[in-house]
Amino acid sequence: MIQQMREDITVATQQTPFILGELVVGGSGTTTLNTGVLTNTPTYNYQTALVSSASLTSYDNLHFDAASLRTFGTRYRTSFAGLNNPYPTAETGAAGHWLFGTGNQLYIDLTGSATNLTENGTSPTFDYTTAQMAGQGDGLLSAITEPLNLTMCLVVKFGPSAVVLNGTLDNSPRINGVSMFFSSGFKINERGGFGNITIAPSSAFTSGNYYFIAMSVDSTDAYIGYLGDSTSTTVVSGAGGTRNPSTRALSVGNVHYAGGSFTGNPIIAEAIFFDSAKSEAELDAIYARSVTRMSARGITVE
């Protein structure tokens, strides 16, 4: 609702403050469920504040009385100085940058470049900080056609299933496309270029933990596969064949590949696409900033 109002109101932006108030303390409509939803709103939605209803009274155990409403209004005004969760800054130079969860079910692009994602197939499911894709052929499609120079970054929750995580890889006619995927570890692929490259085996991951992964490839087919780790970052680099980008749009989740055993349900917290190839040092810096962004949302990235 918050996202949609910021979209629908002409003079609003995604940074327009949204303030909501608690229900009557002990009131007939005050339940553990709706109190929890209200309490969590400022944590997982940008530029929001929750106004306390402590000491306010009701005339029917549901609605505030007139005196309390006047006090409530004063508290609303004061809350503008206490907005939580500032709107995050997109990565400089990103072609698209998205944080997922219940606070961004419209898939708003942090860059402001009108490249919001669109659903392909079955809609994802959400918790406060992630989107879980439904499976093979189901994901989110960007408006970014695979560029000649490309970097893709994700924060993902590791699971044991084989799953294509993003990109443009298809299974027919298999002449081009890129992807990052889990299958006996973390791998990257460029069809017709360098094939399947293992960046890290399954033993490098703990199921249920979050990881920053990235893939960079340039016009000469020089590539970098990257797994962030606070103690021992893993980087694999090399050169492939002739760079031959596809004409498909970059995806989050497995939109394009419909064959084989890649039927898992990836859980993704962040996605960033660049129309430039990043160096290892640049990926180190993006990883560090991603760790900070995720920490603010209650996610620990390894």
Side-chain angles (χ1 to χ4, degrees):
M1 182 190 71
I2 297 171
Q3 289 282 315
Q4 195 66 62
M5 289 180 71
R6 287 169 169 166
E7 284 280 287
D8 292 344
I9 297 171
T10 304
V11 295
T13 71
Q14 292 303 313
Q15 300 188 53
T16 298
F18 188 96
I19 298 170
L20 66 162
E22 293 179 338
L23 302 176
V24 175
V25 176
S28 60
T30 306
T31 68
T32 300
L33 175 61
N34 56 35
T35 298
V37 170
L38 294 176
T39 300
N40 281 318
T41 297
T43 304
Y44 299 107
N45 293 272
Y46 306 118
Q47 294 289 92
T48 58
L50 179 64
V51 180
S52 171
S53 65
S55 77
L56 301 184
T57 54
S58 167
Y59 69 88
D60 63 354
N61 203 34
L62 180 63
H63 300 94
F64 296 104
D65 56 39
S68 290
L69 284 174
R70 287 191 287 271
T71 300
F72 217 14
T74 300
R75 293 178 183 179
Y76 266 70
R77 184 179 186 278
T78 302
S79 71
F80 273 98
L83 289 168
N84 294 336
N85 207 356
Y87 199 72
T89 301
E91 282 290 327
T92 301
H97 187 172
W98 303 270
L99 298 178
F100 299 108
T102 51
N104 190 15
Q105 295 184 61
L106 298 182
Y107 317 115
I108 303 297
D109 178 8
L110 294 181
T111 70
S113 58
T115 55
N116 295 356
L117 300 167
T118 57
E119 293 180 358
N120 185 89
T122 304
S123 300
T125 57
F126 301 92
D127 65 14
Y128 286 118
T129 54
T130 66
Q132 179 171 334
M133 308 303 157
Q136 191 176 87
D138 302 302
L140 303 171
L141 198 60
S142 77
I144 304 168
T145 302
E146 181 188 331
L148 191 61
N149 295 284
L150 168 67
T151 301
M152 304 185 295
C153 307
L154 296 176
V155 172
V156 299
K157 189 175 187 178
F158 181 76
S161 299
V163 59
V164 173
L165 298 168
N166 74 316
T168 60
L169 187 69
D170 69 356
N171 61 311
S172 178
R174 300 191 179 200
I175 58 174
N176 52 32
V178 293
S179 73
M180 297 192 291
F181 63 98
F182 286 140
S183 178
S184 300
F186 165 44
K187 299 178 181 180
I188 63 175
N189 177 285
E190 182 196 57
R191 184 76 69 192
F194 47 76
N196 295 330
I197 305 292
T198 298
I199 308 304
S202 295
S203 58
F205 299 88
T206 299
S207 185
N209 287 6
Y210 288 89
Y211 295 87
F212 176 91
I213 60 174
M215 170 185 177
S216 172
V217 58
D218 69 13
S219 58
T220 70
D221 225 26
Y223 64 82
I224 297 174
Y226 186 100
L227 168 63
D229 190 285
S230 59
T231 58
S232 56
T233 297
T234 302
V235 179
V236 176
S237 61
T242 302
R243 184 86 168 93
N244 180 31
S246 80
T247 58
R248 294 178 290 278
L250 296 171
S251 72
V252 179
N254 182 9
V255 170
H256 301 292
Y257 193 88
S261 60
F262 295 101
T263 56
N265 309 108
I267 297 174
I268 300 176
E270 180 177 41
I272 317 168
F273 298 150
F274 297 89
D275 55 5
S276 59
K278 300 299 183 183
S279 66
E280 180 180 342
E282 289 172 317
L283 291 173
D284 286 337
I286 297 168
Y287 164 56
R289 290 189 291 269
S290 181
V291 168
T292 299
R293 280 190 295 270
M294 294 297 101
S295 177
R297 295 171 62 77
I299 291 177
T300 299
V301 178
E302 298 299 315

